[in-house]
């Protein structure tokens, strides 16, 4: 077991060091050069590595404070391994989106956002912690906007040693295979220890779900309640839950009921009410692009959605997301069902 894990760590390290970091001045040793920023400041005292870090502070109020750097995606890049050290000091949070964050926004050739992925999200007071996530390049992506921010909350956040390492398809598959090999040598704990998706009909309120939603007892498809997700501004508002995929699963069947109330499409045509499946190796590293189970706009009656998705090699976890994707209105959901198929 120890030898397998050691080989895995050595392999990952060799891949990371064999590629160039796409982020310029990711350690903020040259002040905030190469970062577009109105609210970023170098801190030469509180740092993780090098001679400085980046600090964003907000004493009162809930303004968005942050900066970004746009990087070109090199030809032949299959995925990007993002990492950053983040430290938080009295970040109040409050709202579901209030936090110190690192986001990667993939852009097309016209610099329009295709998808945004969260790398780190920090609340409260925490010491330096390394956050990392390897993300497959979405179709049509030409650049990445790496965003660091204190998102609509009082507090102080620090960033240091930010990296974006290009990964080829061959390297990505080798990383997945190395991790699977390391995991298969670990002692078996039994299928009974697997986390399953729970409270999928919302009869126990929002138990087991994360995010911003309320329970509706008047507008539901079945039983006594459904979940309602609302937003009056064009921002990501969602609930989600992560669960494990049993060994031997070949296909996952996802189904559920959705209803829309005055959902107005956001800036982009895909900004609407969404029912999404995310498949990952470990809850962070995706094995395939997010799978859209269902989408709604306007005002509708209850609508049933179902989709079967083959499980990619190395997938261990899945996440169900019910979301308003940077749009306004109300999305209701009820009776979410998951079936694991071995054939």
């Amino acid at each position: 077991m120890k030898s397998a894990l050691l080989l895995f760590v050595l392999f990952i390290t060799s891949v990371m060091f064999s590629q160039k970091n796409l982020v310029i001045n990711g350690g903020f040793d040259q002040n905030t050069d190469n970062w577009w920023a109105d609210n970023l400041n170098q801190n030469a005292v509180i740092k993780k590595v090098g001679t400085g870090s980046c600090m964003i502070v907000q004493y009162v109020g809930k303004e968005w404070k942050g900066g970004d750097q746009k990087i070109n995606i090199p030809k032949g890049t299959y995925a990007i391994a993002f990492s950053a050290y983040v430290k938080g000091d009295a970040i109040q949070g409050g709202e579901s989106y209030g936090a110190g964050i690192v986001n990667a926004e993939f852009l097309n050739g016209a610099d329009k956002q295709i998808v945004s992925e969260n790398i780190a999200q920090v609340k409260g007071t925490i010491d330096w912690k390394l956050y990392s996530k390897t993300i497959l390049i979405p179709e049509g992506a030409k650049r990445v906007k790496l965003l660091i921010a204190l998102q609509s909350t009082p507090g102080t956040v620090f960033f240091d040693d930010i990296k974006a390492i290009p990964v080829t398809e061959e390297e990505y598959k080798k990383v997945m295979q190395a991790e699977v090999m390391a995991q298969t040598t670990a002692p078996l704990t039994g299928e009974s220890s697997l986390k399953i998706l729970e409270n999928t009909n919302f009869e126990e309120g929002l138990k087991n779900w994360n995010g911003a939603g309320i329970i509706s007892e008047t507008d539901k498809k079945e039983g006594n309640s459904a979940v309602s997700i609302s937003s009056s501004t064009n921002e990501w508002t969602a609930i989600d839950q992560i669960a494990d995929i049993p060994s031997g699963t070949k296909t996952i069947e996802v189904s559920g009921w959705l209803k829309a109330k005055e959902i107005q499409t956001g800036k982009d045509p895909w900004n609407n009410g969404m029912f999404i499946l995310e498949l990952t190796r470990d809850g962070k590293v995706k094995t395939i692009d997010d799978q859209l189970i269902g989408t709604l706009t306007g005002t509708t009656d209850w609508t049933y959605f179902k989709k079967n998705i083959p499980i990619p090699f190395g997938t261990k976890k899945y996440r169900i997301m019910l979301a308003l994707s940077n749009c306004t209105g109300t999305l209701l959901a009820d009776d979410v069902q998951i079936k694991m198929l071995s054939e």
Side-chain angles (χ1 to χ4, degrees), residues 145-188:
K145 182 168 77 171
L146 199 57
L147 176 69
I148 56 176
L150 185 61
Q151 190 182 37
S152 308
T153 180
T156 304
V157 62
F158 302 87
F159 305 94
D160 206 350
D161 198 28
I162 301 175
K163 295 180 179 178
I165 308 296
V167 178
T168 66
E169 183 175 5
E170 182 181 1
E171 289 169 338
Y172 183 80
K173 289 180 178 179
K174 286 181 179 179
V175 167
M176 290 177 59
Q177 290 170 354
E179 181 172 316
V180 170
M181 183 179 70
Q183 289 177 344
T184 54
T185 60
L188 296 176

Side-chain angles (χ1 to χ4, degrees), residues 196-334:
I196 63 172
L197 203 72
E198 299 182 87
N199 187 30
T200 57
N201 55 6
F202 306 99
E203 297 299 290
E204 298 180 81
L206 286 173
K207 181 180 178 182
N208 301 108
W209 293 89
N210 304 303
I214 62 174
I215 295 301
S216 171
E217 296 181 348
T218 56
D219 200 345
K220 70 269 186 181
K221 177 59 183 177
E222 59 85 39
N224 299 311
S225 58
V227 67
S228 175
I229 303 160
S230 298
S231 179
S232 59
T233 57
N234 289 339
E235 61 186 16
W236 177 268
T237 308
I239 65 168
D240 70 271
Q241 186 178 160
I242 297 176
D244 296 323
I245 295 178
S247 59
T249 301
K250 302 296 184 183
T251 303
I252 182 171
E253 181 183 284
V254 184
S255 64
W257 292 85
L258 300 182
K259 181 177 181 178
K261 290 184 177 180
E262 299 180 350
I263 295 179
Q264 300 293 320
T265 302
K267 183 171 114 178
D268 294 306
W270 56 82
N271 294 149
N272 44 44
M274 291 183 168
F275 181 10
I276 304 170
L277 171 72
E278 178 189 72
L279 297 172
T280 65
R281 289 191 292 144
D282 54 5
K284 296 180 180 179
V285 180
K286 295 184 182 183
T287 56
I288 192 174
D289 291 340
D290 289 349
Q291 301 295 297
L292 186 63
I293 309 302
T295 181
L296 289 178
T297 56
T299 298
T300 71
D301 199 353
W302 284 103
T303 307
Y304 182 69
F305 295 94
K306 184 173 77 169
K307 192 172 183 179
N308 285 34
I309 297 101
I311 302 297
F313 175 78
T315 304
K316 299 295 182 183
K317 293 181 180 290
Y318 69 95
R319 177 164 66 140
I320 295 295
M321 291 178 277
L322 298 162
L324 290 173
S325 172
N326 299 308
C327 61
T328 61
T330 298
L331 177 71
L332 291 113
D334 202 359

Side-chain angles (χ1 to χ4, degrees), residues 82-87 102 119-123 126-133 284:
F82 296 95
S83 64
Y85 280 98
V86 187
K87 173 182 169 68
V102 180
I119 311 300
Q121 183 169 313
V122 173
K123 296 183 181 182
I126 67 165
D127 202 357
W128 287 108
K129 180 178 177 181
L130 179 63
Y131 294 83
S132 62
K133 189 174 185 179
K284 296 180 180 179

